[in-house]
Amino acid sequence: MTRRSCTIYVVGITCAVLLAVGIGLFAGQVFRTLMNNRLKKEIVLVEGSRVFDSWKKPPPPVYMQFYFFNMTNPKEFLAGTKPEVKQIGPYTYREYRYKDNVSMVANGKMVSAYNTKSFVFLREKSVGDPAEDNITTVNIPAWAVMNNVKDSFWKASMVSIWMNSLKSDLFTTRTVDELLWGYKDPLLVRVAGTKPEVETVFGLMYKKNGSNDGEFIYHTGEQNYMDYGRIETWKGQRELTFWRSNYSNSIVGSDGSAFHPLLDKDERIHIFTPDLCRTIYMEFEKDVEVKGIPAYRFTPPPSVLASKEENPDNEGFCVTPKECLGTGVLKVSPCRKGAPVVASFPHFYLADNKYVAAIEGLSPERTHHQTFLDLNPTTGVIVRAHKRAQVNILMQRIPGFPTTRSLNETVFPVMFLNESVEIDDASSERLKKLLLISNLVSNFPLVIVGLGVILLMVFVILLCRARKQKSSAEDDTAYSPVNDKEKEDPQNGTYIGLTPKANVEA
């Protein structure tokens, strides 16, 4: 066997082995499984893991924007006309968040932490000065007190007298700072004289600067990667007590800061939000890309805040069977000390049209008012997010208060917030490197198949060359037998073919 033949055989055998091994590994997803198992071990909430430090103190900047609805015709509205509002904002704050008092519990299977937040005003990203800009809006403390005493004629009469003497109207004009971070309300001060437990200061974000929502206990994800960041208890509770069904009181999913790796488009993401006093869920909407990083966009479907008729599961969120609002709004008074607070998406996005039509100046738009999460499916990392929610007050006639007699039931918008985050450049570069390594390792069988294909081409070329060379060699050694006929020799005349003479003696 020649050296060339040996080379051909070696190339052919190597090619066959590479193709067989590569195709087998690719079909069995061996390297992808190895990489996924590696990610499951790396993305856990334990000291020293790849994600623990960034979970405790997220590096990307978070911004909180507040938009207020300034009431332009309060007197006309109280007389029975349609209310008119004008949106003013944003007033933007840099939100600093970190996990405080982090400690391992349950023999290291879970981790306890407090979510602490603080806010710093950013003038360059805001429309004005919150200490000077005035907003005319619903007098929330007054409505809270009126709702708390509406079932008692004597208490309602007393509060009505107090409101008249203090000139506490159904609407108030306050600065943005007061509405957000708190002001001493004269009516609350009067009520606190008979009920010391009543807080005399009111603010939409009162006591939320530099504070936390209580203790959370999370699963680390070591036992099961699907449990990464999942809440076990909040304030020592496995479920809430505000609502009327187990489904409504359930505490499910994460707190919105961490999601398990290897996300699937078909799964529902559950997020527990103390501000809404409930768990919401989000579903896949579309593929997106943020700074070159692929991501799945998850958004809350209309069924989250649908009416009990459209989604029977939501019946438990009715305060009472009679106090059940329509699609797109949620009365959260059970966890707001009885105040008639209603939550929704901004401008009543995804809500019944009647709520939008009742207020002049609203225009819900998907681009500006949708809540969404963009998550990298491989790691579960948040690459971009917008949490948008609106605070409203349910205004209606209340017995014992003559100033409300001309009111029709109205869900009145007060303010909406937009809490946003986008992955920073340094974090995105690290994530892209991790994804590159993951893709290379996961697709290594394709590299083997590629080498096999290249060797197959080389093998075919070698075979063709060997066949061609063999044909040439055969042409060089071929001859024709002598003919019986005489042939002409151009130099010596006639050529006569001779045969050996036979032996005569024989």
Side-chain angles (χ1 to χ4, degrees):
M1 184 181 291
T2 64
R3 183 179 297 178
R4 180 175 287 107
S5 299
C6 290
T7 302
I8 294 174
Y9 280 119
V10 170
V11 171
I13 293 171
T14 306
C15 164
V17 171
L18 288 176
L19 287 174
V21 171
I23 294 172
L25 291 175
F26 180 77
Q29 297 291 300
V30 176
F31 279 83
R32 186 175 296 276
T33 301
L34 290 173
M35 192 64 209
N36 289 348
N37 289 337
R38 182 67 179 175
L39 286 172
K40 293 174 186 178
K41 291 181 180 179
E42 288 286 339
I43 303 179
V44 290
L45 296 180
V46 296
E47 198 71 50
S49 72
R50 186 182 293 270
V51 297
F52 196 60
D53 288 339
S54 61
W55 175 76
K56 290 192 294 185
K57 191 174 181 180
V62 181
Y63 297 99
M64 179 71 87
Q65 295 177 310
F66 298 99
Y67 297 81
F68 289 87
F69 295 99
N70 186 55
M71 179 66 163
T72 59
N73 64 337
K75 292 181 179 179
E76 292 80 358
F77 170 63
L78 293 176
T81 61
K82 189 176 182 178
E84 297 178 2
V85 298
K86 181 180 179 182
Q87 178 180 298
I88 298 178
Y91 294 91
T92 305
Y93 293 77
R94 170 72 188 272
E95 180 181 324
Y96 294 89
R97 52 168 65 189
Y98 59 92
K99 300 289 193 301
D100 200 9
N101 294 331
V102 178
S103 59
M104 306 305 296
V105 296
N107 297 322
K109 294 179 181 179
M110 298 184 191
V111 58
S112 170
Y114 292 79
N115 298 328
T116 302
K117 299 179 182 179
S118 59
F119 302 88
V120 177
F121 179 66
L122 301 177
R123 181 65 184 85
E124 67 277 9
K125 293 181 177 290
S126 305
V127 296
D129 188 344
E132 297 180 358
D133 295 355
N134 290 315
I135 303 293
T136 298
T137 188
V138 180
N139 189 345
I140 298 178
W143 281 95
V145 173
M146 289 190 296
N147 271 270
N148 277 322
V149 301
K150 64 182 180 181
D151 295 328
S152 171
F153 174 77
W154 299 109
K155 290 182 180 180
S157 300
M158 183 179 294
V159 169
S160 181
I161 294 172
W162 287 349
M163 290 179 65
N164 288 330
S165 64
L166 296 170
K167 296 182 179 180
S168 182
D169 298 325
L170 300 182
F171 287 88
T172 185
T173 300
R174 299 282 178 176
T175 65
V176 171
D177 261 348
E178 288 177 320
L179 290 174
L180 285 177
W181 309 112
Y183 62 92
K184 184 168 284 191
D185 184 81
L187 180 60
L188 294 178
V189 172
R190 182 67 63 88
V191 173
T194 58
K195 282 186 165 185
E197 69 274 13
V198 172
E199 181 66 64
T200 61
V201 176
F202 169 78
L204 295 167
M205 297 290 290
Y206 180 55
K207 291 185 176 180
K208 290 189 176 181
N209 197 350
S211 64
N212 59 74
D213 295 321
E215 183 192 32
F216 284 87
I217 293 182
Y218 306 90
H219 288 262
T220 63
E222 274 193 304
Q223 308 299 316
N224 185 346
Y225 81 98
M226 294 288 288
D227 288 337
Y228 170 73
R230 182 171 67 83
I231 299 170
E232 174 67 12
T233 61
W234 174 59
K235 292 184 177 180
Q237 298 177 311
R238 290 180 180 271
E239 61 180 14
L240 305 173
T241 57
F242 302 126
W243 309 108
R244 298 174 50 243
S245 71
N246 292 334
Y247 171 83
S248 302
N249 282 318
S250 63
I251 297 176
V252 184
S254 75
D255 63 353
S257 65
F259 299 91
H260 68 79
L262 309 177
L263 288 163
D264 191 275
K265 292 181 179 181
D266 295 328
E267 68 179 291
R268 269 186 176 178
I269 289 178
H270 291 84
I271 301 172
F272 172 68
T273 58
D275 293 335
L276 287 178
C277 313
R278 64 162 291 184
T279 296
I280 67 168
Y281 54 85
M282 307 178 81
E283 296 176 348
F284 173 81
E285 181 184 283
K286 61 181 180 179
D287 289 285
V288 296
E289 187 176 284
V290 181
K291 294 186 176 181
I293 300 171
Y296 292 166
R297 173 162 293 181
F298 287 86
T299 61
S303 58
V304 171
L305 294 180
S307 66
K308 64 178 182 179
E309 289 77 19
E310 296 180 17
N311 184 2
D313 288 337
N314 287 343
E315 185 174 1
F317 291 114
C318 299
V319 179
T320 66
K322 293 183 179 179
E323 286 188 277
C324 204
L325 302 177
T327 292
V329 293
L330 172 68
K331 190 175 182 181
V332 293
S333 55
C335 62
R336 291 292 180 266
K337 299 180 180 179
V341 179
V342 177
S344 71
F345 293 118
H347 287 245
F348 298 115
Y349 173 70
L350 295 182
D352 284 339
N353 187 60
K354 66 179 181 180
Y355 298 113
V356 180
I359 310 291
E360 190 68 38
L362 299 182
S363 55
E365 297 178 21
R366 181 192 192 91
T367 304
H368 301 296
H369 305 138
Q370 182 189 49
T371 290
F372 67 83
L373 276 171
D374 292 341
L375 305 175
N376 174 251
T378 303
T379 61
V381 170
I382 301 172
V383 293
R384 181 170 55 198
H386 283 270
K387 172 188 172 184
R388 293 161 171 148
Q390 182 168 294
V391 177
N392 312 277
I393 297 296
L394 179 62
M395 303 180 70
Q396 57 188 345
R397 298 185 187 90
I398 301 179
F401 296 93
T403 52
T404 66
R405 63 179 178 269
S406 298
L407 294 181
N408 297 316
E409 182 176 289
T410 305
V411 179
F412 194 91
V414 176
M415 174 268 289
F416 81 82
L417 59 86
N418 176 24
E419 189 177 27
S420 62
V421 63
E422 184 172 316
I423 190 168
D424 59 285
D425 293 338
S427 299
S428 68
E429 289 303 317
R430 287 195 297 270
L431 181 55
K432 280 192 279 190
K433 288 180 182 178
L434 176 62
L435 293 176
L436 179 61
I437 294 172
S438 175
N439 287 332
L440 287 176
V441 173
S442 299
N443 294 316
F444 186 70
L446 294 180
V447 176
I448 297 176
V449 173
L451 290 174
V453 171
I454 293 173
L455 286 180
L456 178 62
M457 296 171 63
V458 172
F459 178 68
V460 171
I461 293 172
L462 290 176
L463 280 179
C464 291
R465 285 185 175 178
R467 187 180 294 275
K468 186 176 180 181
Q469 289 175 354
K470 184 178 179 181
S471 299
S472 299
E474 290 177 352
D475 290 343
D476 291 341
T477 58
Y479 68 95
S480 301
V482 177
N483 196 323
D484 291 339
K485 296 182 179 180
E486 296 180 352
K487 296 186 178 179
E488 296 293 332
D489 186 337
Q491 294 180 353
N492 302 315
T494 303
Y495 168 78
I496 301 173
L498 300 176
T499 57
K501 186 177 181 180
N503 192 344
V504 177
E505 295 180 357

